[in-house]
Amino acid sequence: MKENNLLEISGLRTVFAPKNGKEAALVDGIDLNIPKGSTVGLVGESGCGKSMTASSIMRLLNPPVSIAEGQILFQGIDLAKIPEKEMRSIRGQRISMIFQEPMTALNPSITVGKQVREAILLHERVSKRDAKERVLKIFHDVGIPEPELRYKSYPHQLPGGLRQRICIAMAMVLEPEFLIADEPTTALDVTVEAQILALMKELQSSHNMSILMITHNLGVVADICDEVNVMYAGQIVEHADKKELFHHAAHPYTKGLMKAIPRVRGDVEGDLFTIQGTVPTAGNMPAGCRFCERCPYATDRCRREIPPLTDLGNGHQVRCFQREVGT
């Protein structure tokens, strides 16, 4: 793997394969690189395979879902192949994850302090007293007021913004090299969202950590990401540097996402732009381009053939025939 990459995914294919049913690819042959110290965005609608990609990296898959093909190289270690015991030593300590919904990510019957403390005791031989002191410090570092009081609180006693900070504290307490943030600001108001993103950037800078930011919010991408991967129906359809993507989006799906961003420009007339249709289900993909049924530029070729990921230069890649012919 390249020296400047912390993690390299190549040809990852995660499938739903019931014993008496048809196999369906939930993540279908994706390539994804995470450079050291960078924040990489993974963007797309719900149902595109973003969270399944994260679960594949963390090896948090339950049968009949499994990794069928591909490599997930983390500093030369193939996470897709190593035994579960070895994966447990990496998960939480070297690679950590902020889950999408803090209320379901936290155990409602255990105080939040003990839950974060457990992450330390699971991976390190330290006393409960020392572990508690580290929890109180990380609570302070992530901006949780009155750490001693919050340590004894249950999840339902905390507002959404504080629960999310608890989840960040749990993910950060062991100072991981790689953090996966799955929609970390969903359901938070814009003020709290800005605080959480600022906190993540501060922690990244202080720990030289790499982040995979999974989101459907292009505002979050613009704020925190260095590179962006646009995902649709289990495939990466566009990859570029953040500035390149926002100024020169090439895939019709990416352009649709850009046009759907609400803007305030004086008097607003008409409805917000929407991409017609829905993401196809894993077991019912089109024969050709997976976006063809929703794309206003689709041709017969698009409906017959699967477009390859084409390099446009400057690290900009797009999966679209129409871009190839310059339309």
Side-chain angles (χ1 to χ4, degrees), residues 73-257:
L73 293 179
F74 174 68
Q75 295 194 333
I77 302 169
D78 189 353
L79 302 181
K81 303 290 194 302
I82 61 175
E84 176 58 24
K85 183 179 180 181
E86 187 177 350
M87 187 66 208
R88 281 199 300 268
S89 69
I90 294 174
R91 189 191 297 125
Q93 185 171 32
R94 300 182 64 190
I95 303 176
S96 198
M97 184 168 174
I98 303 171
F99 292 91
Q100 188 167 358
E101 175 46 60
M103 200 59 196
T104 57
L106 296 169
N107 189 325
S109 64
I110 302 175
T111 60
V112 294
K114 285 186 177 181
Q115 292 187 60
V116 181
R117 187 187 69 179
E118 185 64 24
I120 300 173
L121 297 176
L122 186 65
H123 289 281
E124 298 181 12
R125 291 184 177 181
V126 296
S127 68
K128 289 184 178 181
R129 181 187 180 89
D130 289 344
K132 180 180 178 180
E133 289 303 314
R134 285 174 60 180
V135 173
L136 293 176
K137 182 182 183 302
I138 194 69
F139 277 10
H140 177 269
D141 291 347
V142 301
I144 295 172
E146 302 179 287
E148 284 275 7
L149 176 62
R150 301 305 183 185
Y151 185 95
K152 301 174 184 178
S153 299
Y154 290 88
H156 72 273
Q157 296 175 314
L158 303 176
L162 275 185
R163 288 198 300 267
Q164 194 63 288
R165 287 175 189 265
I166 296 294
C167 289
I168 292 174
M170 188 181 298
M172 292 297 303
V173 72
L174 293 172
E175 300 185 5
E177 300 156 68
F178 178 40
L179 176 68
I180 301 172
D182 189 0
E183 302 277 9
T185 59
T186 296
L188 300 180
D189 64 55
V190 291
T191 303
V192 177
E193 176 183 83
Q195 292 172 349
I196 295 294
L197 293 177
L199 170 63
M200 292 183 67
K201 286 190 282 188
E202 181 183 335
L203 292 172
Q204 179 185 34
S205 176
S206 62
H207 292 78
N208 192 32
M209 179 178 60
S210 300
I211 298 176
L212 176 62
M213 174 64 69
I214 297 173
T215 183
H216 64 275
N217 187 336
L218 289 172
V220 170
V221 170
D223 187 12
I224 200 172
C225 294
D226 301 303
E227 301 177 10
V228 190
N229 294 273
V230 181
M231 194 168 195
Y232 185 79
Q235 295 181 333
I236 301 295
V237 297
E238 188 159 8
H239 165 80
D241 172 85
K242 175 178 65 179
K243 290 183 180 179
E244 172 73 13
L245 188 85
F246 276 89
H247 288 95
H248 305 290
H251 197 281
Y253 178 61
T254 310
K255 292 178 181 179
L257 293 177

